[in-house]
Amino acid sequence: MSTAYDGTTSVLAISFPGVNNYPTKLFGTNWVHTFSPEIVNSAHIGFTRTVWATDYPIDTTGIFGDNGDKIIGIPFPNQSFAGFTYQSMGSYVSGVGNPAYGGGLIDNTYSYIDDLTWQRGTHTIVAGIQAMRYQNNYPTANNSGYLGSLGYGGLFTSNPSINAASAGGFGPADFVLDRVSSAGATLSSVNVGQRQWRVAGYIADDWKATPKLTLNLGLRYEYDQPWVEQNDKTGNIDLTTGQVQYEGHVPVGAPVGSGICKYAGCYAPNYHQFMPRLGFAYQATDRFVVRGGYGATSFFEGNSSNQRLTSITPFIQAISVTVVTPTVDNGGDPRTAEEGFSGGTTQYGGTFNVYPQDIQPAYIQEWNLTTEYALTHTLSLQIGYIGEQGQHIEDYGNVNQYLVNGVPSSAPFYNNEYLGVNAVDPSTSIGSNSLLITESRAMMNSNALQSTLRQRLNHGLEFQLNYTYSKAMTNSLGNYALNVNGYSGAFQNYYDSGADYGPAGYDATHNLSFVPVYALPIGRGHEYLSNANRLVEEAFGGWKISAAGVFWSGFPETATGPGNNSNSYGNSRPNQYRRIKVVHRSMDHWFGTDASATDICPSGVDDGTCAFGLPASNGSGGTLFGTARNGSLRGPDYKNVDLSAFKDFQTYKEQVIGFRFDAFNAFNLVSYGNPDTGVSDATFGEIAQLGSIRSTERHLQFSLHYTF
């Protein structure tokens, strides 16, 4: 049993920091029965309960309480959290308020596992079954929070008609002018309880085929039941007709014309989770070994509660406002803070999430081939190849993205019978607004060459040196954030997932690490001062020194451009005409000072020099999608070396006092963070302006421990 807690103290009293608590309880029992010396059975029953109480805002001022929005002039019906709505002003100024993402989750997991091991000759066979029962209880929510957010992105103080480097606006200026570019909030929610069984059967055989060859053969089959809600508070949308459908029955408050889902959980079960496994180890000589293997894993990925099918009207009421942003052909249409989350033509009272009926679990295949050679009796070299491919990986998007950028009426459900502007139930009309879909169209692949030089303890020295040369590619960042710029888990153009294929945000071409440990040959029983007296022994004998170094090349970064008015969840990208030629790189000009980096071509024009340019207007109030792919740029590399020295001092009998000195980032190496990748920003390519540093400054630590 454990309880984790974290709390923060706000620099500004009007940021209303939240408090998180995570009490966890565990229970398990295991029964082993020996049928014979060759057959042993192990049965396990376990239970885990975790309670997440996260980010409930606290008003330390005593001024705002649950009337904060009313006090500052933002209409908000039935405010139930302290503070006021979060107001974001971009990268350069801290936001104020708190969106109140807070929520509670009670997660219960029951596990039932039985393994049978059978030793028969040169075969060791393991077969078993596994059943996992999951219970998730939580309030419905969306990513906007229970107090929501108003965004001031600088869109309405920008000037898209002039040179791209000067076109960017300033979020705080939009704030002063009361020009809101986005608004979203959860207006009401209910508690739901989702349930699921995951059952699996598996068998594996470790076969010592010959004295030099061992084979591993295995197969696992798993069935993940669709998540069902214990009181049928689940719904989906039929993408063919647009009809809202619910599990079991149509609830009170559902949109007029709603129907019943075909499947429990409102999406089709999947019966294709077969996971084979094959491996071998062959000792060619006394000093040379070859190993290889292939394995597949299949699983449904976790996602945010706002992506679950329980986050649907009438079990949650929310608003998400998208405004028309300014372009050369269109001045845009901002909102004001006084409009808050009510009124206006873009309001809608409900929220809808979608799973395609055939959503698939992720299917990951991995393979490797490795050789290892003993250079000496203590030194070995390992060289190998590792490959990985992922299919049906989870992504998200706006399935109601405009078919023609800048034309809201081109949204697929704009005129739909159930969801359109003239829907049979106008109170839950979506029209041209966003419709979140969680699906499985993302993919990835990775290929790597790895080498390891390992020195086992010899004359006081042991070390391991690792080097990897790799390439990882994908078309989606994934469902959660990564510390790189420009990427998104959604496609730039929902209708063209292939255009996002490029280096993955975690792709490090070169990766080097080393860990040496050396026992100094000084003191009794060692090469130097072996006959030292007690005083010399305590001062100089028995010391060990160690190091840990990590170096990797820069992560990919993605160039971003001005909005294209497509209403896509993905980031907008510019056109790319050629690679940047990096000359005179610095923190102020990470991509260099060559014209290919500093010259951003105007809309639809390639001047023969620029690497990036703005996409051309489509003549309908939007622009074309940019041709630049994800990962078209590279950020700074990372480097860090830690050093340590330590020794145990014998005091009395078996009692020991241990001393240790650690120098973290011992050489004070600076590893810079991400450069600005917005081609329309005046700070494009700058790291200094953003003050972004990945590394921490050198820290020195002294410690003692007493063992008795």
Side-chain angles (χ1 to χ4, degrees):
M1 177 175 176
S2 69
T3 299
Y5 162 84
D6 67 348
T8 58
T9 301
S10 59
V11 176
L12 296 174
I14 52 175
S15 62
F16 313 110
V19 175
N20 303 326
N21 285 292
Y22 312 104
T24 299
K25 297 178 176 65
L26 304 172
F27 169 81
T29 183
N30 191 57
W31 176 54
V32 178
H33 180 72
T34 302
F35 291 97
S36 71
E38 295 81 19
I39 302 176
V40 177
N41 189 81
S42 176
H44 171 82
I45 297 176
F47 170 74
T48 303
R49 179 183 178 88
T50 301
V51 179
W52 290 65
T54 62
D55 195 23
Y56 289 106
I58 298 173
D59 178 18
T60 58
T61 69
I63 298 174
F64 300 97
D66 293 347
N67 295 309
D69 272 351
K70 182 178 179 180
I71 291 172
I72 66 173
I74 298 176
F76 195 101
N78 305 316
Q79 180 176 339
S80 57
F81 289 87
F84 54 77
T85 293
Y86 182 65
Q87 294 166 82
S88 169
M89 288 169 266
S91 302
Y92 305 105
V93 177
S94 298
V96 296
N98 192 316
Y101 293 125
L105 168 67
I106 301 176
D107 182 87
N108 297 325
T109 302
Y110 302 85
S111 58
Y112 311 92
I113 304 170
D114 189 84
D115 286 321
L116 181 70
T117 302
W118 182 21
Q119 182 76 47
R120 179 176 175 82
T122 57
H123 295 266
T124 300
I125 300 171
V126 178
I129 56 175
Q130 182 182 56
M132 308 288 286
R133 176 64 170 174
Y134 294 95
Q135 298 178 344
N136 275 185
N137 305 307
Y138 57 91
T140 54
N142 72 0
N143 274 351
S144 297
Y146 295 104
L147 288 179
S149 300
L150 299 179
Y152 303 87
L155 297 174
F156 296 99
T157 49
S158 64
N159 188 346
S161 66
I162 61 176
N163 181 272
S166 306
F170 191 50
D174 278 12
F175 174 77
V176 171
L177 295 172
D178 197 13
R179 296 177 178 179
V180 177
S181 56
S182 63
T186 299
L187 302 180
S188 66
S189 69
V190 300
N191 292 321
V192 296
Q194 286 194 292
R195 305 291 185 261
Q196 183 197 48
W197 279 103
R198 295 185 186 180
V199 295
Y202 48 89
I203 185 170
D205 181 13
D206 282 324
W207 176 29
K208 188 75 171 178
T210 72
K212 293 187 175 184
L213 177 63
T214 300
L215 299 176
N216 175 271
L217 307 170
L219 178 65
R220 177 185 176 94
Y221 174 76
E222 183 171 310
Y223 170 68
D224 283 8
Q225 176 194 25
W227 281 97
V228 297
E229 205 283 327
Q230 60 180 348
N231 295 310
D232 294 339
K233 287 181 281 191
T234 295
N236 203 349
I237 289 179
D238 186 322
L239 290 174
T240 302
T241 65
Q243 184 188 42
V244 184
Q245 300 178 341
Y246 295 91
E247 182 177 354
H249 66 280
V250 177
V252 175
V256 175
S258 297
I260 306 297
C261 293
K262 180 179 179 180
Y263 302 102
C266 290
Y267 60 96
N270 183 281
Y271 300 104
H272 305 114
Q273 291 180 264
F274 290 93
M275 292 164 263
R277 180 169 299 175
L278 169 66
F280 75 92
Y282 178 64
Q283 186 170 359
T285 69
D286 291 341
R287 304 177 69 175
F288 183 60
V289 176
V290 181
R291 303 180 185 90
Y294 166 84
T297 304
S298 181
F299 54 91
F300 272 102
E301 298 176 73
N303 50 41
S304 176
S305 60
N306 77 295
Q307 293 177 271
R308 305 240 179 137
L309 295 181
T310 50
S311 291
I312 188 170
T313 299
F315 313 126
I316 180 173
Q317 298 291 313
I319 184 172
S320 178
V321 178
T322 301
V323 303
V324 176
T325 59
T327 66
V328 174
D329 305 315
N330 188 327
D333 184 20
R335 285 173 63 90
T336 66
E338 291 76 14
E339 291 180 87
F341 304 101
S342 60
T345 59
T346 57
Q347 182 193 7
Y348 60 97
T351 185
F352 305 97
N353 289 328
V354 182
Y355 283 9
Q357 289 297 299
D358 62 346
I359 188 171
Q360 302 288 306
Y363 195 77
I364 311 298
Q365 302 177 80
E366 298 176 313
W367 51 91
N368 66 80
L369 181 64
T370 303
T371 62
E372 185 170 5
Y373 184 74
L375 301 172
T376 70
H377 69 285
T378 60
L379 182 65
S380 64
L381 175 63
Q382 179 177 295
I383 298 177
Y385 161 75
I386 296 177
E388 183 179 41
Q389 181 184 69
Q391 299 166 308
H392 308 305
I393 299 175
E394 190 170 283
D395 66 272
Y396 62 92
N398 175 18
V399 74
N400 201 36
Q401 177 187 304
Y402 305 159
L403 296 173
V404 179
N405 294 353
V407 182
S409 60
S410 69
F413 292 99
Y414 185 81
N415 291 310
N416 183 265
E417 176 185 0
Y418 300 102
L419 302 175
V421 291
N422 297 312
V424 293
D425 187 344
S427 67
T428 53
S429 166
I430 286 178
S432 61
N433 283 290
S434 302
L435 181 55
L436 174 65
I437 185 170
T438 301
E439 53 187 1
S440 49
R441 287 197 294 156
M443 52 78 65
M444 60 79 63
N445 60 71
S446 175
N447 295 277
L449 294 175
Q450 296 183 337
S451 61
T452 298
L453 183 65
R454 180 179 302 157
Q455 171 68 62
R456 293 164 181 83
L457 187 61
N458 185 31
H459 296 290
L461 175 66
E462 57 183 318
F463 68 81
Q464 182 166 310
L465 175 65
N466 308 294
Y467 171 73
T468 300
Y469 175 76
S470 64
K471 172 67 73 174
M473 304 287 285
T474 186
N475 64 351
S476 172
L477 175 69
N479 213 38
Y480 299 100
L482 193 65
N483 187 19
V484 289
N485 281 343
Y487 281 84
S488 171
F491 308 124
Q492 174 189 221
N493 178 4
Y494 175 77
Y495 308 113
D496 186 5
S497 62
D500 282 45
Y501 185 71
Y506 49 83
D507 174 50
T509 304
H510 304 282
N511 193 321
L512 175 70
S513 65
F514 57 84
V515 182
V517 179
Y518 183 52
L520 298 179
I522 300 173
R524 295 176 183 175
H526 294 287
E527 185 175 353
Y528 302 103
L529 301 178
S530 59
N531 296 316
N533 58 39
R534 176 70 183 270
L535 181 61
V536 175
E537 169 67 18
E538 293 298 339
F540 301 104
W543 285 95
K544 291 183 179 180
I545 57 175
S546 68
V550 177
F551 302 84
W552 66 69
S553 54
F555 288 127
E557 310 278 350
T558 296
T560 58
N564 48 42
N565 275 340
S566 66
N567 202 20
S568 167
Y569 283 151
N571 290 336
S572 300
R573 298 193 296 270
N575 286 339
Q576 183 167 12
Y577 301 112
R578 57 192 54 83
R579 293 174 63 90
I580 280 181
K581 180 181 179 181
V582 179
V583 177
H584 302 135
R585 168 171 278 171
S586 68
M587 286 186 64
D588 293 316
H589 301 282
W590 180 253
F591 305 121
T593 57
D594 185 77
S596 62
T598 59
D599 177 18
I600 307 301
C601 285
S603 299
V605 176
D606 177 9
D607 65 3
T609 300
C610 65
F612 296 106
L614 304 184
S617 169
N618 66 353
S620 301
T623 66
L624 302 177
F625 291 105
T627 60
R629 291 183 176 266
N630 280 328
S632 53
L633 301 166
R634 287 277 172 172
D637 56 12
Y638 180 85
K639 44 195 178 295
N640 184 79
V641 177
D642 300 332
L643 299 177
S644 300
F646 47 95
K647 176 182 175 175
D648 288 338
F649 295 89
Q650 198 79 27
T651 57
Y652 177 73
K653 293 186 177 180
E654 72 279 1
Q655 299 180 43
V656 174
I657 294 178
F659 169 81
R660 184 180 183 95
F661 164 72
D662 295 291
F664 301 105
N665 193 8
F667 303 110
N668 219 24
L669 302 173
V670 179
S671 299
Y672 298 113
N674 302 316
D676 186 337
T677 59
V679 299
S680 295
D681 298 344
T683 54
F684 175 63
E686 286 192 19
I687 298 176
Q689 178 71 23
L690 301 181
S692 179
I693 303 291
R694 290 188 190 273
S695 56
T696 57
E697 67 277 10
R698 177 171 49 226
H699 287 183
L700 304 180
Q701 175 178 286
F702 300 86
S703 59
L704 290 172
H705 69 267
Y706 177 50
T707 305
F708 58 93

